[in-house]
Amino acid sequence: MELTSEALVNSLLALGAVALVTTLWVWPRLARQRPLPVLGRIGLLTVVQVSILAVLALSVNNSFGFYTSWHDLLNPGGAKLALTGNENHKGGTPVSDQLVQPTNEGGLETITNLPKGAPEEVGKVESVRVNGKETGFSDQMFVYLPPEYFDPKFALVRFPVVLGLAGFPGTSLNLLHELPFAQTAIDLQRSGKMPPSVLVMARPAVVPSRDTECVDVPGGPHTETWFAKDVPEAVRSAYRVGRTAGSWSTFGYSTGGSCALRLAMRFPNVFGSAASLHGDFTVRQDQYTGGDLFNGDKTLTQQHDLGWRLQNLPAPPLNLLVVSTRNESDYPQTVQFVDQATQVAAANPQFKVESLYLDDGGHNFDSWTRELPASLEWLGSHLG
């Protein structure tokens, strides 16, 4: 059973219930102070407590998305895999050492509200493992291919890409389960409000135990290189997708929103647009990041401060959407960034910024779900 499956949780609940009933039933028979009865009591109590703790741990993991699979749990560093002999989506011959390989991990089978039907009619969501040449990272992601991707009339077409980033802690499954990112994009594509696009769903924390804020940590994980170089290279090697910045967008909520903005502003040659839901404009320093990710390097801190970049560096050719609510604790910082970006955009036509604010709502999936359709429709209008 998959780590994130309901069947595993229900099985452990049943085991705990049976162990509890068994304990109550046979406890009087184990009341004697002899070695075997004592060991029996210890065994029964151990089974009950381990079952309860396992259910609690799985429930917390499923809610916050620390790990998506047994592989993820048992190999937290994400070892690089050697991939061989799989047919790619270009219709070519099998190649060795593929950067994208199908996988059954991730819990895709638990998502029941995706369109049902043949790929050429409803599209297809794939669970894949992406491997990076530069960083050596390997992580599980989901990829949605629209129906047009399987239509022979579009065989020579390269499709635009939206790289969707979940929050922290969280997994790529949250972009299907907690936030209907793919489902909403599919509906918009069906209605013509968004062009047929490939969706790549990922998590910002390639190293699950630490929030690296999608930056290259000195002496640590290079997650910025992973998203700015490895992931685009891997996706382009496996799918018929665009190769210009105008055909690539980033999207994210919370930490993923911070990453989406930062990646686009630092790599406008890779991503031509970005939409951020409740993201930050500086790199956080807290217990999840393990303190200062840059180890006191002021130059790196400035380079990743989006307000500092607007003030001190040339405006990049980029389209940005910043989304939040007026009740958010960091709403003043959001308004400040948007005002600053608007002033920069007035003098630099190649740089554009727009904003969307809800009157109420917090830092939660309810707010992000309400903001999602307008945000994806905006992204669709800026995809080449």
Side-chain angles (χ1 to χ4, degrees):
M1 286 181 283
E2 284 289 336
L3 180 65
T4 57
S5 67
E6 292 293 331
L8 180 58
V9 176
N10 293 335
S11 297
L12 288 173
L13 279 173
L15 175 62
V18 170
L20 179 60
V21 172
T22 303
T23 300
L24 295 175
W25 180 259
V26 304
W27 192 267
R29 303 179 185 181
L30 301 175
R32 298 179 181 179
Q33 299 301 316
R34 293 180 180 179
L36 288 180
V38 170
L39 290 175
R41 294 198 297 270
I42 293 175
L44 289 172
L45 291 175
T46 299
V47 171
V48 172
Q49 293 183 11
V50 168
S51 300
I52 294 173
L53 289 175
V55 169
L56 290 175
L58 286 172
S59 300
V60 170
N61 181 70
N62 291 348
S63 296
F64 291 97
F66 292 104
Y67 302 98
T68 60
S69 65
W70 293 110
H71 179 278
D72 197 6
L73 175 65
L74 301 176
N75 299 274
K80 187 175 180 180
L81 301 180
L83 310 175
T84 57
N86 288 283
E87 193 75 8
N88 65 21
H89 286 269
K90 295 180 179 179
T93 57
V95 297
S96 61
D97 296 327
Q98 279 191 328
L99 301 179
V100 176
Q101 177 168 329
T103 177
N104 292 325
E105 62 186 302
L108 183 59
E109 73 283 352
T110 65
I111 307 301
T112 59
N113 60 344
L114 290 170
K116 303 294 191 299
E120 59 270 20
E121 297 176 356
V122 301
K124 181 182 181 183
V125 177
E126 298 182 337
S127 177
V128 299
R129 177 156 287 274
V130 177
N131 301 272
K133 283 185 177 180
E134 186 77 14
T135 62
F137 287 154
S138 177
D139 204 19
Q140 185 268 338
M141 299 180 184
F142 298 107
V143 176
Y144 167 75
L145 304 171
E148 291 82 359
Y149 191 92
F150 303 94
D151 190 333
K153 292 186 295 185
F154 296 90
L156 299 180
V157 172
R158 293 188 178 277
F159 290 81
V161 180
V162 179
L163 173 61
L165 299 173
F168 180 90
T171 69
S172 52
L173 190 66
N174 283 0
L175 291 163
L176 289 161
H177 188 267
E178 304 295 340
L179 184 73
F181 168 74
Q183 295 89 329
T184 302
I186 291 170
D187 289 341
L188 291 173
Q189 291 183 33
R190 281 179 170 178
S191 63
K193 296 180 180 180
M194 187 177 182
S197 307
V198 172
L199 310 176
V200 179
M201 290 158 271
R203 58 178 175 178
V206 186
V207 181
S209 59
R210 188 180 186 189
D211 178 10
T212 54
E213 293 280 305
C214 299
V215 305
D216 285 353
V217 180
H222 284 194
T223 47
E224 183 180 70
T225 300
W226 163 251
F227 284 116
K229 185 174 181 180
D230 281 349
V231 172
E233 180 180 358
V235 172
R236 290 181 183 124
S237 75
Y239 301 100
R240 298 195 319 273
V241 297
R243 299 182 178 277
T244 64
S247 60
W248 278 71
S249 290
T250 55
F251 166 91
Y253 62 88
S254 189
T255 299
S258 308
C259 292
L261 284 182
R262 195 176 301 115
L263 287 169
M265 287 196 65
R266 285 177 55 80
F267 298 93
N269 60 321
V270 179
F271 306 104
S273 55
S276 169
L277 276 55
H278 301 224
D280 295 318
F281 309 100
T282 59
V283 176
R284 281 184 174 271
Q285 297 182 27
D286 54 28
Q287 68 271 27
Y288 301 110
T289 63
D292 184 0
L293 290 170
F294 301 124
N295 300 321
D297 189 321
K298 293 183 179 180
T299 300
L300 285 177
T301 301
Q302 286 181 334
Q303 289 287 330
H304 291 79
D305 184 327
L306 302 189
W308 183 92
R309 296 185 69 86
L310 286 176
Q311 186 175 355
N312 296 277
L313 299 177
L318 198 62
N319 292 285
L320 299 180
L321 175 66
V322 178
V323 184
S324 190
T325 67
R326 304 184 195 280
N327 290 344
E328 269 279 32
S329 59
D330 59 355
Y331 174 69
Q333 288 82 2
T334 302
V335 173
Q336 180 181 355
F337 173 82
V338 171
D339 289 344
Q340 184 181 3
T342 302
Q343 294 175 10
V344 172
N348 299 273
Q350 80 279 9
F351 177 74
K352 297 179 181 179
V353 62
E354 296 181 65
S355 58
L356 170 65
Y357 303 123
L358 294 184
D359 288 333
D360 61 350
H363 201 82
N364 52 53
F365 284 105
D366 176 68
S367 297
W368 301 327
T369 300
R370 288 187 290 150
E371 297 159 352
L372 185 60
S375 302
L376 289 179
E377 188 173 346
W378 180 92
L379 271 182
S381 68
H382 291 85
L383 279 173

